[in-house]
Amino acid sequence: MPVDFPTIPKFVNPGRYHIRVTGKVRNEINDYFEGIEKLELVNTKKGIGETKLTIHVRDQAELIGFINILYNWQHALKKIRLDEAKINSNNIKP
Amino acid sequence: MPTLKKTASTPTHQSLSENPIMDIPILHTKMCKPTVGKDMVIRQSIIDQLESNLSLPITLISANTGCGKSITTSQWLDQTKHKYGWLSIDEEHNNAAVLLGYLVGILKEQWPSKHFALEYLKNADNLQPAVISATLLNDLDDLDEYFILVLDDYHQIKEGKIHEIIDGVLRYPSSKFHLVLLTQIDPPLKLARLRAQFRLHELRMKDLAFSTDEALTLRSLIVADAQDDQVESLVNFSEGWVTGVSVGLMGMLKGISYEKVVQTLQSHGSLVSDLLDEVVLRGLPLQSVKFLELTSLLDRFAEDLIKTMAEAIKDSDLPPSEIGELIKNARSRNLFLIPLDVSGTWFRYHHIFKDLLSQRSAKHFPPIVLEKLYKAASGWFEEEELLEEALTYALRSKDMDFAIRVFSRFRIQLLNSEQFHRLDRLTNRFPEDVRQNSFELLINLAMMQNHKVNYMGMQQYLSRATVLYNELDKGDDNKSQLVGEYHGISTFHSYTLGDFEKHFHGEKCLAILPADKPNFFRELATGWYAFAQQACGRAQTGMERLVEEYQILANEDTYFKMRLLGGRLIFHLFEGNTKYLYPEGSSLAKMCLPEKYPGSWEIGIYSMAYHTYLSNQLEVVSIFQNDLRKHRYAGRPFWVVNNFFLYSLANMASGLWQQAEHGITECEELAEELAMDSMKGLVKAFRVEYHLKRNEEEKAVKASTLANFEPYPPLFYYFIPQLTQVKLLFHTRQERKGEELLQSLVEIGRSRHNKNLLIQALALQATHYSVKEDTTRAKNSLHELLTISESTGHMRVFLNHGHAMEKLLREMQVTPSNDTQISQFLEAFEKERNAHPANKNLMNSPRTLQIKLSGRESEILSLVTQGFKNDEIAEKLFVSLDTVKKHLYRAYQKLHVDNRVSAIQKAQSLGLIITGKGRS
């Protein structure tokens, strides 16, 4: 199912997310979303590829929109992690 | 039973209109922007931003619910000088046809007299997105003024096709158009490029956040008792979230302490529900709470509708007389009620509020009460002729028998008015298991397969229906109509199987369904029962049956007159009575506007084209081509392509090969768009015919791999793919197979009294045997052909067989009995030759099509004709003697001869070699 938007806004500030999904994400993703900082194909032992992405989003609407695109392209979400360091520290390079 | 006709008591609001062109029901309230209340803060800086970025193709407003996206945009539209349209998107807009119906409705509101190409894109759910976006772009580019289109709640769109359409529009945007998308989630559109080019204006949650000044203005508008610093903290705690600030201030207005409000705002996860409970629901009279819970069951509501629902559950707290007052209270208390029209008839709740209330309603109302409420809503919408919504609430009631009963009350009306696509959509809204277990739905699904020419599918649905039929209580009066309808569709099914003597179904249907009440199932049975009589050689009885059925009623009711004419025309097409086709076809086409009865209109114009083509009035065959192109997605797709085939055939006969080819390409595109496999195969078969006529054997063979030469048994359409298959077999040297197939078609034509088939098959047979110099058989076929076609006027069939037919006719002319008839044909051949002297292909007979010598064979035969011996030819052409002999042997085989003299004579008579000057 597509990710449902929560009723209550969780944040309105930009954030960096580390996402891991099954399958190889096509390069076409860049036509839809330009906030991808890193896209890396990971070959698992089973031979089913996975993709690790690091993205920068401006708010929750953009994050969920991005995850929905991945879902529509049949990539199951395996992990999503907010880069707290990026938010909390001023010293992190952009 | 609620009537489906509008009555004088119908509310005056324009809640629905039938789009005249596309059979999509339009709800006007979905096209109204939210009304801006007096107690709302005017967000001028955002409005200015929106106006100043109008030159960009798109504005994306993406933010969580409750940020004021819709209201702020609505405020902007109140100030702009440009024309605009608004569409509140919901689930139904995931269907491209529905979305386009609304877009046409929006454009028509602004430009009522203008025609848009979009109007004619019927059945758009099957069209390629690129076709739709190109059509939309062309329409937008054709506007005389700048136009803003707002699509609210765009996140409701889940269908990839719709996103592709929007992507297409944004790829080459019109300079007169600005799109505004309001969404809670970023849409899956290719926006990165637009962002990079600075052609996307974006407003996000942060941009929409309330500033302290705006919160202070709101405080003064709602006269809340809060200090300036309290307002400022409220903005900080809620991070400027408009709903948070509004609800907080309203809470304080109700006397809730500032500390409590802030505490609630800080506790994430329960903010809205807690505050709503505290602010809105607590302290409200029970009557108001019940009212809110009841109305939250509806996607939109009006006073009359709620009254009907309240009456259904007979709740003493909700007396119908007080509903109007309750709506007023809800508005004055600012209970997130959004008016959907200027007259204040229709409303909906803000999403947050509706979601919360719905959860409460589900807990509050026991299932049995919920069912009653949904049923009452369904009944009300049905009376208002809002069929889609009537079915929506019927299905929500979870009582599938009830939903089927609702469906059954309007399905015949939709069938009678030939709204096949709409009916198909509604039928498919039932869950699969319900469809497979409902006799009524199965009959309907079988009927839809007739429309799609999917006889296999029809067979499957009817098989399942037959199982249920056997279990039916036949004595149940309520089921008798369904039983009649079952026999009605079975009548047609029997015909497709060739069971012409099986009158059981037809007689049953006609005995059960009343004659004086329009019912498409009965009309179908009447027609095919009569056609079955005709197929059995009882043409007169069949026609009498048809006339008897409608004659009296037809004098009084246009509907029956239309059905009578339609039936008669199909009868004439079978019988080959070409002289009646034009006048009766013209009457039918005039009587049935393509917007109202597209299927019948298509029969009318087909009959006219058929007559003009066969009587060789080629220049007028395609006079309706442009009209048909406009309405190509309406009515019955197979009538549409067969009309196009006639236009192409007329172009081929006139030597306009390019136009003919263009017509075929159009049909291929249509088949692709409608995603009908049977039609794709049929169109490919027609392409084979085209290549054969052009003598392009290789291309014909290539096209034949995808062709379906038997999408349906030989019917009444002029183009008979089975005959094309015969021609292809002749071309590919599978003569015997071709002859057998042709003979079987002749026999089918004879046994089924299908003159349309018989005349064409005999003409091909006569010329084929003539080419083979099997004179006896050729003359036999021609004799039968002349006898049958004496009164039918199939001139074009003769002309299409070119030289071979002309030669054969000359040989037959010696019989005085048919001299006049033959003279007419020969005269036509002469005219044809004079009219198109340059176009060699036009007078091609099957002979030249069948015998094709290679370049070398032709060259060697020419030299033989000039008197050269084999060794001399070998020397002349720098080849070995054996090679010359080999080529000659092959030429003998192709010409069906066994010596040089016969080969020369035959090749010369066929025009296969050019006679040289001789060896001297």
Side-chain angles (χ1 to χ4, degrees):
Chain A
M1 267 183 64
V3 178
D4 284 327
F5 57 91
T7 317
I8 313 303
K10 292 284 189 292
F11 71 93
V12 293
N13 295 315
R16 178 193 260 179
Y17 280 81
H18 301 289
I19 296 174
R20 197 173 171 123
V21 291
T22 59
K24 185 187 174 187
V25 176
R26 321 198 279 271
N27 282 335
E28 200 193 341
I29 191 76
N30 289 304
D31 292 346
Y32 292 83
F33 180 72
E34 64 275 52
I36 298 172
E37 293 178 8
K38 197 168 124 189
L39 189 151
E40 187 187 345
L41 182 69
V42 188
N43 286 317
T44 60
K45 283 178 189 171
K46 289 176 186 172
I48 306 163
E50 285 185 2
T51 310
K52 273 169 46 175
L53 300 121
T54 303
I55 60 164
H56 184 268
V57 291
R58 289 168 290 178
D59 50 33
Q60 189 178 339
E62 194 166 34
L63 173 67
I64 298 173
F66 180 73
I67 293 170
N68 273 352
I69 294 173
L70 295 176
Y71 171 82
N72 291 340
W73 289 8
Q74 318 293 325
H75 299 295
L77 188 63
K78 295 204 78 176
K79 201 179 275 181
I80 179 161
R81 183 170 61 82
L82 173 66
D83 191 341
E84 298 285 351
K86 177 75 181 168
I87 290 180
N88 298 332
S89 167
N90 293 326
N91 298 326
I92 301 282
K93 287 178 188 174
Chain B
M1 189 179 90
T3 171
L4 289 183
K5 297 221 168 103
K6 280 258 179 203
T7 57
S9 61
T10 305
T12 50
H13 59 80
Q14 283 285 305
S15 53
L16 172 141
S17 73
E18 285 287 336
N19 186 320
I21 309 297
M22 311 164 78
D23 61 7
I24 306 292
I26 303 294
L27 297 177
H28 282 280
T29 50
K30 290 187 186 175
M31 303 185 323
C32 290
K33 71 177 186 63
T35 313
V36 180
K38 285 177 190 165
D39 52 357
M40 289 173 180
V41 179
I42 302 290
R43 314 195 69 188
Q44 198 56 47
S45 63
I46 300 177
I47 293 169
D48 293 345
Q49 233 188 90
L50 286 165
E51 185 70 18
S52 62
N53 282 291
L54 209 48
S55 58
L56 304 178
I58 176 173
T59 292
L60 174 71
I61 307 184
S62 180
N64 281 75
T65 186
C67 289
K69 298 184 289 291
S70 311
I71 292 297
T72 310
T73 309
S74 181
Q75 289 174 346
W76 165 48
L77 295 178
D78 282 340
Q79 293 187 17
T80 189
K81 62 179 190 302
H82 298 291
K83 284 191 171 179
Y84 63 83
W86 183 286
L87 180 60
S88 298
I89 300 273
D90 60 25
E91 270 179 24
E92 71 162 343
H93 297 109
N94 279 294
N95 179 307
V98 175
L99 180 69
L100 287 199
Y102 275 93
L103 291 185
V104 169
I106 287 169
L107 289 168
K108 281 278 184 187
E109 272 198 346
Q110 297 296 334
W111 290 274
S113 55
K114 191 171 169 59
H115 288 285
F116 297 97
L118 268 191
E119 294 175 56
Y120 303 103
L121 281 186
K122 198 149 186 170
N123 204 16
D125 38 345
N126 288 325
L127 296 183
Q128 295 292 321
V131 176
I132 300 173
S133 43
T135 314
L136 177 58
L137 269 176
N138 287 339
D139 276 344
L140 293 171
D141 214 39
D142 205 28
L143 298 178
D144 51 4
E145 278 184 66
Y146 203 84
F147 181 61
I148 303 164
L149 175 66
V150 182
L151 300 181
D152 191 11
D153 287 340
Y154 187 79
H155 56 270
Q156 300 266 13
I157 297 291
K158 304 282 187 285
E159 181 56 51
K161 187 174 174 177
I162 307 290
H163 298 309
E164 282 181 56
I165 294 169
I166 302 293
D167 263 334
V169 171
L170 293 173
R171 196 172 163 80
Y172 305 105
S174 162
S175 56
K176 295 174 185 166
F177 174 65
H178 185 79
L179 179 67
V180 182
L181 297 184
L182 310 185
T183 176
Q184 294 177 3
I185 301 170
D186 277 28
L189 296 171
K190 294 181 181 174
L191 296 176
R193 187 176 48 89
L194 288 168
R195 277 197 190 101
Q197 294 170 343
F198 303 105
R199 299 181 72 201
L200 167 69
H201 176 223
E202 226 166 333
L203 287 176
R204 310 199 63 86
M205 193 154 173
K206 234 178 164 178
D207 307 309
L208 293 170
F210 252 178
S211 65
T212 308
D213 284 348
E214 284 173 322
L216 288 169
T217 312
L218 179 66
R219 180 194 61 179
S220 57
L221 284 171
I222 61 174
V223 208
D225 185 18
Q227 305 297 318
D228 285 5
D229 57 337
Q230 289 176 332
V231 174
E232 196 177 344
S233 331
L234 205 54
V235 172
N236 289 337
F237 279 125
S238 62
E239 297 183 84
W241 187 40
V242 174
T243 303
V245 175
S246 311
V247 174
L249 284 173
M250 279 170 68
M252 291 168 77
L253 183 68
K254 298 265 177 189
I256 300 173
S257 71
Y258 166 71
E259 288 72 24
K260 180 79 190 289
V261 167
V262 171
Q263 191 192 348
T264 319
L265 278 171
Q266 280 175 316
S267 59
H268 278 277
S270 59
L271 184 149
V272 177
S273 57
D274 283 359
L275 266 184
L276 282 177
D277 270 349
E278 290 267 3
V279 175
V280 180
L281 302 178
R282 207 171 78 172
L284 271 185
L286 179 66
Q287 187 185 37
S288 298
V289 175
K290 277 195 176 175
F291 166 81
L292 294 174
E293 286 169 349
L294 185 143
T295 45
S296 72
L297 296 173
L298 301 159
D299 297 336
R300 59 178 191 135
F301 56 88
E303 187 178 334
D304 283 351
L305 168 61
I306 308 167
K307 278 182 185 170
T308 309
M309 290 170 78
E311 273 166 12
I313 54 170
K314 293 189 173 52
D315 190 326
S316 56
D317 289 325
L318 286 173
S321 56
E322 290 177 27
I323 297 296
E325 201 54 38
L326 285 166
I327 293 180
K328 263 189 209 165
N329 282 342
R331 290 189 75 181
S332 64
R333 283 170 191 268
N334 201 4
L335 295 180
F336 301 94
L337 205 59
I338 300 173
L340 292 172
D341 50 15
V342 279
S343 61
T345 308
W346 284 96
F347 301 92
R348 73 166 169 86
Y349 287 116
H350 191 283
H351 304 299
I352 307 172
F353 198 56
K354 183 177 185 294
D355 289 347
L356 287 165
L357 282 173
S358 304
Q359 287 166 19
R360 292 177 63 99
S361 308
K363 285 179 199 159
H364 176 80
F365 293 118
I368 191 151
V369 177
L370 271 179
E371 187 184 320
K372 267 189 190 171
L373 287 168
Y374 280 130
K375 284 180 179 177
S378 171
W380 188 87
F381 277 112
E382 190 181 336
E383 283 203 24
E384 293 298 305
E385 297 182 39
L386 302 168
L387 307 183
E388 275 72 8
E389 278 172 296
L391 191 59
T392 298
Y393 292 107
L395 288 167
R396 280 189 198 170
S397 78
K398 296 196 175 138
D399 180 347
M400 289 301 142
D401 288 338
F402 173 80
I404 291 169
R405 283 201 298 280
V406 171
F407 172 74
S408 75
R409 284 196 285 272
F410 55 73
R411 70 186 171 88
I412 293 295
Q413 189 190 8
L414 293 180
L415 258 183
N416 289 349
S417 55
E418 301 174 2
Q419 295 185 48
F420 304 115
H421 297 297
R422 189 176 172 195
L423 189 60
D424 198 29
R425 271 199 303 275
L426 288 167
T427 317
N428 287 325
R429 285 179 65 182
F430 285 91
E432 178 64 18
D433 61 320
V434 179
R435 281 187 285 166
Q436 286 298 330
N437 289 299
S438 158
F439 185 55
E440 182 162 3
L441 292 179
L442 284 165
I443 296 170
N444 222 64
L445 285 161
M447 177 63 100
M448 290 296 104
Q449 305 318 304
N450 164 26
H451 168 62
K452 294 173 185 171
V453 188
N454 175 8
Y455 297 142
M456 190 79 89
M458 185 194 284
Q459 166 89 52
Q460 284 168 358
Y461 286 120
L462 272 180
S463 301
R464 177 76 192 128
T466 307
V467 173
L468 300 184
Y469 171 80
N470 291 331
E471 294 166 4
L472 270 188
D473 174 10
K474 311 289 188 305
D476 183 350
D477 283 350
N478 295 329
K479 301 282 180 202
S480 69
Q481 180 175 327
L482 291 181
V483 170
E485 290 171 5
Y486 165 77
H487 288 296
I489 185 72
S490 299
T491 312
F492 174 68
H493 185 237
S494 299
Y495 190 99
T496 62
L497 296 176
D499 296 339
F500 306 122
E501 292 289 0
K502 202 171 178 178
H503 305 314
F504 170 73
H505 289 303
E507 283 165 2
K508 274 268 185 194
C509 172
L510 300 181
I512 296 171
L513 298 178
D516 57 349
K517 207 174 161 190
N519 185 319
F520 196 80
F521 283 94
R522 186 181 165 103
E523 329 312 354
L524 189 80
T526 307
W528 289 97
Y529 184 50
F531 307 145
Q533 298 278 355
Q534 186 272 340
C536 295
R538 298 187 290 272
Q540 207 180 336
T541 317
M543 185 58 112
E544 279 170 8
R545 183 74 200 81
L546 201 65
V547 174
E548 188 190 317
E549 167 81 12
Y550 294 118
Q551 189 69 72
I552 299 166
L553 295 164
N555 290 334
E556 293 164 6
D557 192 329
T558 318
Y559 172 85
F560 290 110
K561 193 173 179 186
M562 179 180 83
R563 297 290 173 221
L564 173 62
L565 270 179
R568 278 177 66 96
L569 284 167
I570 294 175
F571 212 94
H572 295 322
L573 289 167
F574 270 126
E575 276 283 282
N577 297 333
T578 52
K579 63 180 172 186
Y580 300 115
L581 288 175
Y582 197 90
E584 293 189 17
S586 167
S587 302
L588 185 62
K590 277 180 197 157
M591 194 186 297
C592 312
L593 294 175
E595 293 86 358
K596 210 168 173 196
Y597 291 107
S600 298
W601 176 75
E602 284 154 10
I603 297 177
I605 62 164
Y606 183 81
S607 304
M608 294 163 77
Y610 187 103
H611 169 82
T612 48
Y613 176 70
L614 285 185
S615 56
N616 206 28
Q617 302 170 56
L618 301 177
E619 62 287 354
V620 289
V621 173
S622 51
I623 50 168
F624 287 104
Q625 187 166 359
N626 284 335
D627 288 334
L628 186 69
R629 200 171 279 145
K630 276 185 198 168
H631 300 284
R632 64 189 182 279
Y633 304 112
R636 300 183 180 103
F638 278 76
W639 281 100
V640 175
V641 287
N642 273 288
N643 262 302
F644 275 117
F645 290 166
L646 276 183
Y647 306 154
S648 277
L649 284 167
N651 282 327
M652 289 183 216
S654 308
L656 304 168
W657 297 102
Q658 212 174 340
Q659 283 93 323
E661 216 267 336
H662 183 68
I664 302 170
T665 309
E666 270 190 278
C667 290
E668 282 170 343
E669 284 169 3
L670 182 70
E672 203 60 50
E673 287 162 5
L674 298 179
M676 282 190 190
D677 287 339
S678 51
M679 190 192 278
K680 283 182 200 170
L682 173 72
V683 178
K684 277 287 172 224
F686 189 74
R687 189 169 271 290
V688 173
E689 175 77 21
Y690 168 82
H691 288 309
L692 292 178
K693 274 198 192 301
R694 294 212 73 175
N695 220 0
E696 297 167 342
E697 194 179 293
E698 275 179 32
K699 287 183 182 175
V701 172
K702 206 172 162 190
S704 71
T705 53
L706 297 171
N708 180 357
F709 293 108
E710 206 167 356
Y712 37 67
L715 292 173
F716 40 77
Y717 300 119
Y718 178 78
F719 172 62
I720 299 168
Q722 289 89 342
L723 287 175
T724 303
Q725 190 180 12
V726 171
K727 291 175 201 167
L728 185 70
L729 288 168
F730 289 159
H731 267 264
T732 50
R733 324 278 175 261
Q734 301 175 68
E735 204 165 290
R736 200 165 173 175
K737 232 174 156 180
E739 282 174 5
E740 281 170 11
L741 179 59
L742 183 54
Q743 184 57 34
S744 73
L745 288 169
V746 168
E747 277 158 20
I748 290 172
R750 283 186 195 130
S751 65
R752 297 187 182 183
H753 303 269
N754 183 338
K755 286 190 189 165
N756 175 48
L757 168 66
L758 191 55
I759 289 172
Q760 292 191 58
L762 284 171
L764 181 59
Q765 203 173 45
T767 44
H768 171 71
Y769 287 130
S770 168
V771 168
K772 278 183 77 180
E773 295 195 339
D774 187 342
T775 320
T776 316
R777 281 182 172 182
K779 286 188 175 174
N780 283 344
S781 297
L782 184 62
H783 179 72
E784 189 179 347
L785 172 63
L786 289 170
T787 313
I788 298 166
S789 59
E790 202 169 357
S791 57
T792 58
H794 282 66
M795 178 73 76
R796 193 65 239 169
V797 176
F798 287 83
L799 292 172
N800 283 347
H801 288 276
H803 293 300
M805 178 60 81
E806 189 182 4
K807 186 169 163 259
L808 200 56
L809 284 168
R810 283 192 197 285
E811 286 168 18
M812 289 287 277
Q813 207 179 9
V814 288
T815 323
S817 61
N818 52 21
D819 188 48
T820 324
Q821 189 190 3
I822 292 178
S823 298
Q824 280 175 355
F825 287 133
L826 291 175
E827 212 173 286
F829 271 106
E830 198 55 43
K831 270 190 197 165
E832 178 100 338
R833 214 183 338 271
N834 295 334
H836 310 285
N839 200 329
K840 201 181 149 203
N841 276 339
L842 293 183
M843 294 298 281
N844 266 347
S845 64
R847 177 179 286 203
T848 52
L849 291 175
Q850 287 166 34
I851 300 171
K852 196 179 170 190
L853 297 178
S854 70
R856 206 47 142 180
E857 288 159 2
S858 178
E859 193 178 10
I860 289 172
L861 262 185
S862 296
L863 291 170
V864 171
T865 316
Q866 290 167 43
F868 288 100
K869 289 176 183 168
N870 287 358
D871 53 347
E872 290 171 325
I873 295 170
E875 198 178 317
K876 207 172 164 62
L877 298 178
F878 301 103
V879 293
S880 72
L881 181 62
D882 275 351
T883 309
V884 173
K885 283 180 180 173
K886 218 180 270 176
H887 282 301
L888 267 180
Y889 177 69
R890 282 202 196 118
Y892 290 174
Q893 278 189 319
K894 287 183 183 176
L895 294 164
H896 304 284
V897 294
D898 54 9
N899 60 68
R900 292 168 89 85
V901 179
S902 307
I904 292 165
Q905 283 175 349
K906 199 156 182 179
Q908 279 180 338
S909 72
L910 293 173
L912 294 172
I913 52 168
I914 301 153
T915 312
K917 291 177 185 170
R919 62 183 303 176
S920 58

